[in-house]
Each structure stands twice: as structure tokens, then as C-alpha cells.
Amino acid sequence: MPRTTTPTPLARLLVARIRERGPLTFAEYMRECLYHPEHGYYSRAETRRFADYYTSVDVHPIFGRLVARQLAELWVLLDRPAEFWAVEAGAGAGRLSQHLLDFAARELSDFYRALRYVAVEPSPARRAAHTASFGSHRKAGRAVSAAEWPAEIPAGCIFSNELLDALPVHRVVREKGILREIYVAARGDELCEQLGALSAPALAEYFRTQGIELLEGQQAEVGLEACAWIEDAGRRLGRGFVLTVDYGHEARELYNERHLRGTLLAYHQHRASEDLLAAPGEQDLTAHVNFTALDLWGRRAGLERTGLVSQARFLLALGRGNEFADLYDPGQSEVERLRARLLLKNLIFPEGMGEAFQVFIQHKGIEHPHLTGLEPC
Ligand SMILES: C[S@@+](CC[C@H](N)C(=O)[O-])C[C@H]1O[C@@H](n2cnc3c(N)ncnc32)[C@H](O)[C@@H]1O
């Protein structure tokens, strides 16, 4: 599709690179769009908060507070280790860490004393933002910021909110019974799609492992990076949990006839578009997460499936114990409390984020753990 807008600086760089070295896999293209050190969407500071998207952590601190309650329970399940590592992957500007740490310090003091919070974020601009918000927690030795995650996590939980949907994916299509890869090539000064042979045997292996066969003409994403990520997480974790919040599906649903064109979307100023090659570096690119793949690749590193529930069910199960008293801050007026209740609905109602988002939990080195967040409602 011809584009009339001026190419972004990253589009110019990519066209020049493709002319010199040939087409890029979509995963290479997506990596540049999101993480190019200068022009990548996530490399820049969040100058305009909520400009293109917002996540559950932006809705109300209750999300972080209930995650804190779940982590405190995991600490108990692990027999209250003296150090509980809470490793937040993709911490971004630090809103979840701030809500969680403030709440733990105020309401969960025994847990807080054992807490070793590591906010992992590759973007220097976003690391600077969350470090600034840590304040007293950093001084108390409870929280640090890191570009990469720790080599070893003896006991604790690795958790993320909307990280895995932002990891680069390959794109494939089934043509005449054969899997072909969708590359990003250049025509004149413009980026375009081009079909070719698979860039790696791992792409076909990915579908075989999950017993998935695409329909004729169906396009799909392959999240090899998410598979590598969960294996790495499992290897680094001694005992504990991996808790993933994201939108996504089990493989049989992700690759069914409802997703014939895959799930990749571009976001700019809260509008979704299928024009994935438009404005590289200036729009967010996301693909739905495959929880079956996380389960299967996690097993290779000793992770077992604890459960998969909607975000609505997870938050309701954790909040109902005290009738969502954690929603409120001391001294709030009735109007403020009403507003807090309305915001909560955004997080739990099916038409809001409640059913679109899922919570997937895996465990290692502990037998059949029972988690409040996974309890039936
Ligand atoms: C969609 S944002 C979500 C940010 C935050 N969790 C939130 O809910 O607002 C994804 C974040 O993950 C970071 N990220 C990307 N790859 C990562 C990786 N391999 N490890 C840790 N963080 C990563 C990005 O830089 C970005 O800040």
C-alpha cells in the first residue's frame, strides 16, 4: 500500500539497510521499531503519558496493590525466605513498582522487610523514570533498577504486565500447504512485504511442538523470543513463580479461524491499525501472547503450569477478602471513593480490561501451590 506521509528517520535507515543486506524478518523489523537505541518506540522517554496506549497499572493503584497481596502470599508459600526476589520484567516508567512498593511498605510490613524488588527495563530513559519514583524504597535497600535481570533468582517471583506482547515476532503464512515467511523488503523508498522461505527451522518446529496446523492462506505470528524469554526465566529461578499479565490465548484459539490474519496490530494515539509498516519507530506494535507456548517452553526449564485465569477473576479473587478495602486511601471523601469504585470496574468488567487480559502463573520447586488469585469466584 503506497504511503503519502514523510518517512520516519527509522524508515530511511531500514530502507538503506535492506538495500545493502536484503530483506528483514518481521522479528528483526519489529525489534528495530520498538528497541532501536535512538529511534525505537520504547527507547524514548514517555514524554506524553498515555499518548498511544495505557495499561492496567495506569487505571488505579488497586491493580498493583492486589498484585502485592498475591506476591506476599507467594512469599508465605515459599516458607518466608529471608530474601524474596520480586523481579518485574519490563518495568517501564515504574507505575506498577511504585503502587506495589508503597502498598507493601504500608500494609504488608513483614513481607516488605523480605522484599528485594528488581525493576528490569532495557530503556535508559524509562529506567531513569522508575528510579526517580523509588525514593524511600531504594534508600531502605528494598528496590533496585537494572537493565538486565539477575543471573540467579534464588527464591521469588518474576512478573510482568504487558511485556510479552511487545517482544518481536516472526510472521508466516501457509500457501499451498507450505509455511512461508513474511519478510520486510524495500520497493523504491518504501517498505513492503515479501514472501520467502522460512528463515529458521525453529519456525516450523514451533507449530509442530504445539500440534498446530495453519489453515490454507492463514497468516500467523511466531513468538520465538517469548519462548526463549520464558526458558531463560525458568533457568534463572531457583524456587518460585512466574506471573504473566497480558492479552492472549491458548494456541488452539490463537491459531483458529477467528485469527486468519494473525493478531499483530499497530497503535498510535489510541487507534489500532493493521498498517504495520507505517511510521516505523513512531507506533507501538503488539501481538497476542501464546500461553500454550509459554507453558511448553517453560517446562524445558522446570516451570510447571499453576493456572490461567482472566484478569477479572484474578483481581476479584484477591480483592473480595476485604471487600476491596485496598481501593481507598486514608482520608478520602465519599466522591473520591466512588470514583475509585468506578475505575475498578474498568479493570474487571468484560467490556473493559477484565476479560481481554489474562493472568498466567507458573511455578518451580514447590508442590501444588494453592494461590488465592486462581481461586474460582
Ligand atoms: C508495553 S510496555 C509495558 C510497561 C509496563 N509494564 C506497564 O504496564 O506500563 C513494555 C516494556 O517492556 C520493556 N522491555 C522490552 N523487552 C524487554 C526485555 N527483554 N526485558 C525487560 N523489559 C523489556 C520495554 O522497553 C517497555 O518499557
Side-chain angles (χ1 to χ4, degrees):
M1 186 208 300
R3 275 173 211 99
T4 47
T5 47
T6 324
T8 61
L10 183 59
R12 286 198 204 95
L13 285 179
L14 293 177
V15 167
R17 178 173 151 186
I18 290 167
R19 279 202 196 116
E20 203 183 303
R21 293 188 245 163
L24 302 169
T25 64
F26 193 86
E28 288 167 329
Y29 167 76
M30 187 165 168
R31 189 171 305 114
E32 296 297 323
C33 288
L34 299 184
Y35 306 113
H36 182 279
E38 189 182 351
H39 302 296
Y41 183 85
Y42 285 117
S43 304
R44 294 191 305 260
E46 260 191 335
T47 43
R48 293 171 306 139
R49 195 171 161 203
F50 314 143
D52 299 316
Y53 67 90
Y54 59 88
T55 77
S56 296
V57 303
D58 302 310
V59 175
H60 189 279
I62 186 69
F63 180 81
R65 293 171 186 176
L66 292 177
V67 173
R69 284 212 180 270
Q70 183 59 86
L71 295 192
E73 184 184 64
L74 301 183
W75 171 65
V76 173
L77 287 169
L78 291 172
D79 298 327
R80 296 182 158 84
E83 265 195 343
F84 180 87
W85 292 65
V87 179
E88 186 193 354
R95 286 185 285 281
L96 177 56
S97 52
Q98 195 181 357
H99 299 157
L100 197 154
L101 285 161
D102 288 352
F103 183 75
R106 202 173 69 221
E107 302 286 336
L108 306 164
S109 52
D110 288 350
F111 169 62
Y112 185 71
R113 273 193 290 279
L115 195 54
R116 187 176 178 132
Y117 199 102
V118 186
V120 183
E121 172 54 55
S123 152
R126 286 166 183 239
R127 274 205 307 283
H130 68 228
T131 306
S133 75
F134 280 171
S136 59
H137 306 299
R138 196 158 51 92
K139 286 201 199 92
R142 302 273 69 88
V144 292
S145 168
E148 289 180 12
W149 52 11
E152 282 179 12
I153 301 162
C157 179
I158 298 169
F159 63 106
S160 64
N161 179 52
E162 290 203 50
L163 161 67
L164 297 185
D165 67 84
L167 294 186
V169 290
H170 292 258
R171 292 179 72 202
V172 297
V173 58
R174 183 176 154 142
E175 272 201 349
K176 299 192 182 108
I178 291 172
L179 274 189
R180 309 252 290 151
E181 184 152 358
I182 304 174
Y183 290 83
V184 177
R187 194 182 303 120
D189 288 338
E190 287 197 358
L191 296 169
C192 62
E193 291 179 1
Q194 184 176 299
L195 286 190
L198 297 184
S199 59
L203 295 167
E205 183 57 34
Y206 175 87
F207 290 105
R208 266 199 300 277
T209 303
Q210 298 174 77
I212 296 290
E213 199 163 277
L214 296 183
L215 300 168
E216 186 59 24
Q218 182 172 11
Q219 294 178 11
E221 294 92 33
V222 184
L224 295 184
E225 208 155 304
C227 294
W229 185 90
I230 195 73
E231 257 195 87
D232 196 13
R235 295 233 151 79
R236 284 167 201 253
L237 186 65
R239 288 176 72 227
F241 298 84
V242 181
L243 186 157
T244 303
V245 184
D246 223 314
Y247 40 87
H249 317 272
E250 296 277 14
R252 63 178 181 279
E253 197 186 337
L254 182 61
Y255 299 115
N256 72 10
E257 64 291 344
R258 286 183 52 225
H259 298 116
L260 289 179
R261 288 177 56 80
T263 64
L264 259 164
L265 283 177
Y267 282 91
H268 185 58
Q269 296 178 348
H270 292 277
R271 272 212 296 276
S273 142
E274 287 188 3
D275 193 353
L276 307 173
L277 305 186
E282 289 177 10
Q283 51 178 9
D284 192 12
L285 295 172
T286 75
H288 290 200
V289 171
N290 178 351
F291 295 113
T292 307
L294 290 187
D295 184 3
L296 294 175
W297 268 261
R299 284 173 196 275
R300 297 176 181 188
L303 293 172
E304 290 177 64
R305 172 186 284 239
T306 325
L308 173 68
V309 291
S310 69
Q311 174 171 299
R313 225 180 94 179
F314 179 75
L315 296 178
L316 283 168
L318 286 161
R320 69 184 162 195
N322 64 6
E323 295 175 357
F324 284 96
D326 299 336
L327 262 179
Y328 311 119
D329 291 312
Q332 277 185 322
S333 67
E334 193 37 53
V335 173
E336 287 166 328
R337 291 163 76 94
L338 175 64
R339 186 165 176 274
R341 288 197 289 278
L342 290 173
L343 290 172
L344 173 68
K345 287 185 178 173
N346 250 324
L347 292 171
I348 59 177
F349 269 26
E351 59 273 22
M353 296 167 130
E355 294 300 326
F357 283 81
Q358 309 292 314
V359 180
F360 184 53
I361 303 181
Q362 294 156 284
H363 60 273
K364 181 177 179 185
I366 171 167
E367 296 269 307
H368 311 298
H370 175 89
L371 273 61
T372 301
L374 299 177
E375 274 174 7
C377 286

